[in-house]
Amino acid sequence: MLPVPVILLGVLLLALTTPTTATGQRINRKNVVRRFNPVRTTLSTTTPMQVGNGNFAFGADITGLQTVLPFNILSSWCWANDSLPTTPGQTDPSDYTGMDYWTHGRLVNYAIPNPAEPEISQWLIANPHRVNLGRVGFLYKGRNISTDDISDIHQSLDLYTGVLTSKFSLHGQRVTVTTIADPDDDVVAVEVQSSLLKDGSLGVFFDYPLTTGANKFEAPFVGNWTAISAHTTGLKKVTAHRAVVSHLLGSTTYYNLLQWEQAGSIQGPFNGTHRYLLQPIGRSNKFTFTTRFSESIKGGSGSKAFRSVKSSSTRWWANYWESGAFVDLIASSSSDAEELQRRIILSQYLLAVNSAGKDPPQESGLQNNGWYGKFHLEMTFWHLGHWARWDKFYLLDRSLGVYNRFLPSSIARAQAQGYEGARLGKMSDPSGRSAPGAQNALLIWQQPHPMFFAELEYRAAAAAPSNKATTTLRKWDTLLDELATWMVSYAWWNASTGVYDLGPPMYPSSENTSPNVTYNPTFELAYWRFGLKIAANWKVRQGIEVPTAWMHVLDNLAPLPVVDGAYSISEDQPDMWTNKDYTTDHPSQIAVYGLLPPTPGVDVSTVNATMAKVLEVWQLENSYGWDFPMLAMTALRLGNVEGAVAWLLNEHFQFDDVGNPVGTANVVPTPYFPASSSLLFAVAMMAGGWDGAEGAHFPAHWGAKVEGFTASL
Ligand SMILES: *[C@@H]1O[C@H](CO)[C@@H](O)[C@H](O)[C@H]1NC(C)=O
Ligand SMILES: *[C@@H]1O[C@H](CO)[C@@H](O)[C@H](O)[C@H]1NC(C)=O
Ligand SMILES: *[C@@H]1O[C@H](CO)[C@@H](O)[C@H](O)[C@H]1NC(C)=O
Ligand SMILES: *[C@@H]1O[C@H](CO)[C@@H](O)[C@H](O)[C@H]1NC(C)=O
Ligand SMILES: *[C@@H]1O[C@H](CO)[C@@H](O)[C@H](O)[C@H]1NC(C)=O
Ligand SMILES: *[C@@H]1O[C@H](CO)[C@@H](O)[C@H](O)[C@H]1NC(C)=O
Ligand SMILES: *[C@@H]1O[C@H](CO)[C@@H](O)[C@H](O)[C@H]1NC(C)=O
């Protein structure tokens, strides 16, 4: 039997974590969510409206399908390779040798493109790439439909159920289309209502592009629609209400199961295309079908009916909104509160669609391809940390297995470079291979992310009604041990200064310094202290002795570099604040007191001076994405709530009409989802506070209501 104080503590913790607002009244979440249902009355040529489930997403144009624009259908599982180069000596991945760089007196091999092996280097960068699964659209009397044929458009997405409704007139006749993704399967279910169905004027086409590694970014449209002979499709297993289209590109084959409920016939491919036509032939003004994508033809043996997908979606999304933490700012008449609330709700929707898959997401999620569809391990914390802070661990858990899956290749990487432990890669495909690239090989800030995830999970587990702390400690122990071991092995003892240095060569997170001379970056030094401290605590909590080497590095890392009274990016920049090459891109040094809790050596007045310098000289027009939430979190810790709000609404930090985070002209296309996820991470800090400053930190006159948040680290 538990002693009474423990029971009382349990009850107290339960009371603290049960979602209620300060006034004790539950937020009407449905009301807040639906207030921001996106509506479109004109065609957007840059972003679709999306339905999806984190592993699979469908981008719809104004017709609810992909009739006038080929927005994409992307998944976490479908990838393809281009054929290998034929240049002698560069015909296989094993021919690639990387580059040897001097690293503290020895040659270390890095996965950097080798000028003597350009073809195979580039092939490894561009392959495998993520496949655009296809396109679904309407045809009118067998002909293509253009925007000129469409009028009286009203499209709305019900965020609370995941149901997209698109109404328009086609050649003067009304058409209503309902588009829904299955929360558990790679299925889109569609219901069409129109009198145009009665005489067979309306048909549905299915088409399949070749996705190649030709371009680093393919946005907003992915794939090549004219290279018809370079890939093959075929119609299989046709019955009265079902057919399978197989698609073979390179050595990848996948299947598209089409299933329709009313009378219909399918034919294709039409000469010189990969187009198939599903023609409703009943006399009904309703036509209902599903399209399901699968790696195996067995997965093509039946899919749920429209009605069933609709009820699954309705249930899933209601649970999504009603569980976990929530912020309600709608009592405020402030337009800032309204816009922040809009960004919060739409980001919550889009991240569940795009960034909750079996692997970490690519930066453009499942909307279009950037970096060939690959994902970046240094970005995982920005992408996924908010799931923990909003108490949606069930979505975070989907992808965190990637760290254990990549552990063998990370250990191999460390060993090949003469280090102990496991060194995480960067630009990744599901196999764990890190693409060749100077930044890819020389960044280090991806390494402590798992420590941050582990600590957030540990805090939640320890506070849960049934204490799961021991399970969490065991779950992460091997991984944290290997990662910390590399961090210790990588830190270089500088005998002349008596401290451990990080780098050279290395790239700091801003990627705008010269790697052969860059060392002791501010953010990475603090992150090393933060990560190693968590790894050490992990051992202490399990009653295991902390390796002395860990403590020696932890206690003797180089001090944070200061230039003109403010933190610089790294120690090798005496002209940090006067050289325009440095006062641009990510001001990550600000994160040492903001994203990160203070670690030994962080001086608050120096942070404050750094913030003042950033406001004075930083070229914010070149900043993007997570920079603004990162600055907001520092403003919060410095006690400047209004300043934090201003960062989250900065003119260079924009979200479009349906909530897509806008990219930059020359660096990243729209959407750049780290903007959405870091926004939610910062908002969680405003809503739950942090250790020593628990509770909400919104402008007092907003009357903000919050539910289910705990304090941040
Ligand atoms: C692409 O090629 C690589 C290297 O040969 C291989 O490991 C991988 O499995 C291939 N991926 C696909 C999707 O074909
Ligand atoms: C960095 O040093 C390596 C040799 O260690 C050299 O091959 C490489 O070109 C240098 N990089 C730059 C940007 O100077
Ligand atoms: C219909 O659209 C497809 C895809 O854009 C195109 O390849 C085809 O040529 C078009 N057909 C006509 C008749 O314009
Ligand atoms: C599509 O592929 C064809 C044939 O390989 C090629 O000529 C064309 O340039 C490609 N188009 C694009 C947009 O990459
Ligand atoms: C397709 O090609 C065949 C044979 O070349 C021809 O008989 C048929 O009319 C063509 N169909 C269309 C729709 O162009
Ligand atoms: C040791 O640290 C000093 C000061 O940071 C630096 O100038 C020097 O290059 C370091 N020594 C080596 C061998 O890297
Ligand atoms: C931070 O700097 C501002 C001026 O930029 C000053 O007004 C404020 O008192 C400073 N706060 C702290 C905590 O040092």
Side-chain angles (χ1 to χ4, degrees):
M1 193 162 150
L2 293 171
V4 171
V6 172
I7 293 173
L8 283 179
L9 183 66
V11 171
L12 182 66
L13 285 173
L14 196 60
L16 283 174
T17 52
T18 301
T20 44
T21 59
T23 57
Q25 211 179 351
R26 280 273 284 160
I27 295 170
N28 184 340
R29 296 186 179 197
K30 191 197 274 190
N31 182 36
V32 179
V33 170
R34 285 202 158 140
R35 192 183 171 104
F36 298 94
N37 280 350
V39 172
R40 274 181 171 165
T41 54
T42 54
L43 178 75
S44 165
T45 54
T46 52
T47 65
M49 289 255 215
Q50 285 180 291
V51 293
N53 60 32
N55 276 305
F56 170 81
F58 180 90
D61 69 18
I62 205 74
T63 67
L65 295 181
Q66 297 151 333
T67 305
V68 286
L69 290 174
F71 287 120
N72 312 298
I73 309 174
L74 299 180
S75 72
S76 52
W77 53 266
C78 198
W79 298 73
N81 283 333
D82 293 333
S83 53
L84 282 157
T86 50
T87 317
Q90 298 187 53
T91 57
D92 191 82
S94 62
D95 294 333
Y96 167 73
T97 61
M99 292 290 283
D100 291 335
Y101 274 24
W102 286 105
T103 305
H104 290 298
R106 65 193 181 92
L107 283 172
V108 169
N109 186 261
Y110 296 97
I112 291 175
N114 188 325
E117 302 161 350
E119 282 89 2
I120 194 68
S121 296
Q122 181 56 32
W123 190 91
L124 286 166
I125 294 169
N127 291 282
H129 38 262
R130 198 182 297 252
V131 168
N132 178 12
L133 295 167
R135 175 179 179 189
V136 187
F138 291 113
L139 292 180
Y140 178 77
K141 297 188 171 161
R143 297 196 305 269
N144 289 343
I145 294 168
S146 79
T147 42
D148 295 342
D149 305 327
I150 298 175
S151 57
D152 301 325
I153 295 164
H154 190 275
Q155 181 174 47
S156 67
L157 174 63
D158 184 16
L159 301 168
Y160 198 76
T161 57
V163 174
L164 176 65
T165 306
S166 311
K167 300 183 178 183
F168 52 92
S169 293
L170 178 61
H171 293 284
Q173 302 289 307
R174 292 304 284 166
V175 181
T176 300
V177 183
T178 310
T179 315
I180 310 172
D182 192 312
D184 310 307
D185 202 353
D186 302 332
V187 171
V188 182
V190 180
E191 183 186 84
V192 191
Q193 287 181 290
S194 176
S195 57
L196 289 173
L197 289 164
K198 284 191 174 174
D199 64 358
S201 297
L202 206 53
V204 181
F205 74 81
F206 299 86
D207 206 344
Y208 305 86
L210 176 70
T211 313
T212 71
N215 308 295
K216 178 157 99 168
F217 293 105
E218 297 211 344
F221 310 121
V222 179
N224 185 325
W225 295 91
T226 58
I228 304 296
S229 58
H231 58 129
T232 53
T233 57
L235 196 55
K236 294 182 167 33
K237 298 194 166 192
V238 181
T239 65
H241 290 279
R242 208 186 265 190
V244 174
V245 176
S246 63
H247 186 195
L248 171 66
L249 63 164
S251 59
T252 297
T253 304
Y254 67 92
Y255 301 92
N256 186 193
L257 169 73
L258 311 173
Q259 204 168 297
W260 51 96
E261 293 173 31
Q262 297 78 12
S265 72
I266 187 151
Q267 48 180 316
F270 294 103
N271 293 349
T273 75
H274 291 294
R275 274 201 172 200
Y276 296 80
L277 172 65
L278 172 58
Q279 185 61 57
I281 51 178
R283 297 263 166 250
S284 166
N285 63 0
K286 184 161 115 176
F287 189 70
T288 315
F289 67 93
T290 57
T291 170
R292 176 173 195 249
F293 295 90
S294 172
E295 280 174 286
S296 91
I297 193 151
K298 281 205 211 94
S301 62
S303 97
K304 289 185 200 165
F306 174 82
R307 208 176 330 105
S308 167
V309 172
K310 186 174 183 181
S311 64
S312 299
S313 175
T314 302
R315 231 177 302 121
W316 194 92
W317 283 101
N319 178 64
Y320 175 73
W321 293 110
E322 296 297 339
S323 65
F326 199 83
V327 169
D328 173 0
L329 307 175
I330 69 174
S332 172
S333 56
S334 148
S335 58
D336 283 356
E338 175 87 4
E339 175 59 10
L340 186 57
Q341 181 81 68
R342 185 186 82 91
R343 294 176 180 202
I344 292 169
I345 296 292
L346 294 176
S347 295
Q348 284 183 271
Y349 177 81
L350 287 170
L351 293 174
V353 168
N354 287 284
S355 304
K358 74 170 184 59
D359 290 321
Q362 63 165 328
E363 291 175 351
S364 53
L366 297 169
Q367 194 171 115
N368 58 51
N369 274 356
W371 289 276
Y372 313 97
K374 297 187 183 190
F375 50 92
H376 297 306
L377 292 187
E378 87 283 13
M379 293 306 299
T380 54
F381 194 79
W382 284 129
H383 278 297
L384 302 171
H386 67 98
W387 293 128
R389 298 288 300 120
W390 287 68
D391 196 15
K392 290 189 182 333
F393 283 94
Y394 66 104
L395 294 175
L396 179 62
D397 284 344
R398 287 182 180 175
S399 56
L400 285 192
V402 75
Y403 286 119
N404 279 320
R405 222 170 77 225
F406 289 5
L407 192 54
S409 58
S410 301
I411 290 172
R413 182 177 296 113
Q415 278 177 356
Q417 297 183 338
Y419 296 109
E420 291 166 46
R423 178 176 197 167
L424 291 174
K426 196 237 180 218
M427 176 174 154
S428 305
D429 65 69
S431 75
R433 184 166 64 69
S434 188
Q439 279 88 343
N440 298 352
L442 297 173
L443 280 180
I444 62 170
W445 63 290
Q446 65 270 46
Q447 189 79 8
H449 292 338
M451 282 111 179
F452 209 150
F453 286 122
E455 187 67 14
L456 291 175
E457 186 179 318
Y458 177 80
R459 286 168 71 125
S466 61
N467 187 321
K468 298 203 184 68
T470 311
T471 318
T472 302
L473 288 171
R474 278 206 212 100
K475 174 177 155 188
W476 289 89
D477 186 56
T478 305
L479 179 70
L480 296 200
D481 190 307
E482 293 287 352
L483 296 177
T485 299
W486 182 78
M487 287 163 70
V488 165
S489 175
Y490 177 81
W492 187 78
W493 178 250
N494 184 327
S496 64
T497 51
V499 297
Y500 286 97
D501 290 336
L502 300 182
M506 66 152 304
Y507 269 109
S509 66
S510 56
E511 303 181 11
N512 59 350
T513 66
S514 180
N516 283 344
V517 295
T518 295
Y519 73 109
N520 289 339
T522 297
F523 171 63
E524 283 79 355
L525 280 170
Y527 210 17
W528 242 240
R529 287 194 176 89
F530 172 85
L532 285 176
K533 181 77 179 149
I534 289 170
N537 286 346
W538 218 258
K539 296 296 181 195
V540 172
R541 286 167 182 158
Q542 298 176 91
I544 301 170
E545 205 178 323
V546 182
T548 50
W550 294 15
M551 295 313 294
H552 199 253
V553 170
L554 189 49
D555 294 339
N556 294 284
L557 274 167
L560 304 185
V562 174
V563 172
D564 300 337
Y567 290 122
S568 66
I569 290 177
S570 54
E571 197 171 329
D572 48 293
Q573 293 146 338
D575 55 347
M576 169 71 220
W577 295 104
T578 48
N579 184 336
K580 282 197 175 307
D581 291 343
Y582 297 146
T583 55
T584 188
D585 209 282
H586 307 303
S588 308
Q589 65 267 53
I590 209 74
V592 301
Y593 188 76
L595 169 68
L596 300 185
T599 44
V602 169
D603 173 63
V604 176
S605 59
T606 309
V607 174
N608 196 36
T610 310
M611 183 62 103
K613 282 275 191 202
V614 167
L615 283 164
E616 189 191 325
V617 301
W618 209 267
Q619 299 155 66
L620 289 169
E621 65 277 16
N622 300 331
S623 289
Y624 58 94
W626 44 276
D627 294 351
F628 298 97
M630 176 172 72
L631 285 155
M633 287 190 276
T634 301
L636 276 179
R637 275 199 213 258
L638 288 170
N640 186 358
V641 171
E642 301 287 346
V645 171
W647 283 121
L648 295 180
L649 298 173
N650 187 280
E651 60 175 317
H652 301 294
F653 189 56
Q654 294 296 328
F655 293 73
D656 79 3
D657 61 327
V658 301
N660 285 299
V662 176
T664 59
N666 42 24
V667 189
V668 289
T670 299
Y672 182 71
F673 282 120
S676 317
S677 39
S678 58
L679 171 89
L680 292 187
F681 195 84
V683 169
M685 191 165 167
M686 298 182 86
W690 55 95
D691 290 346
E694 293 80 2
H697 292 69
F698 289 100
H701 64 278
W702 282 11
K705 292 187 221 151
V706 301
E707 286 177 352
F709 288 98
T710 55
S712 186
L713 297 178

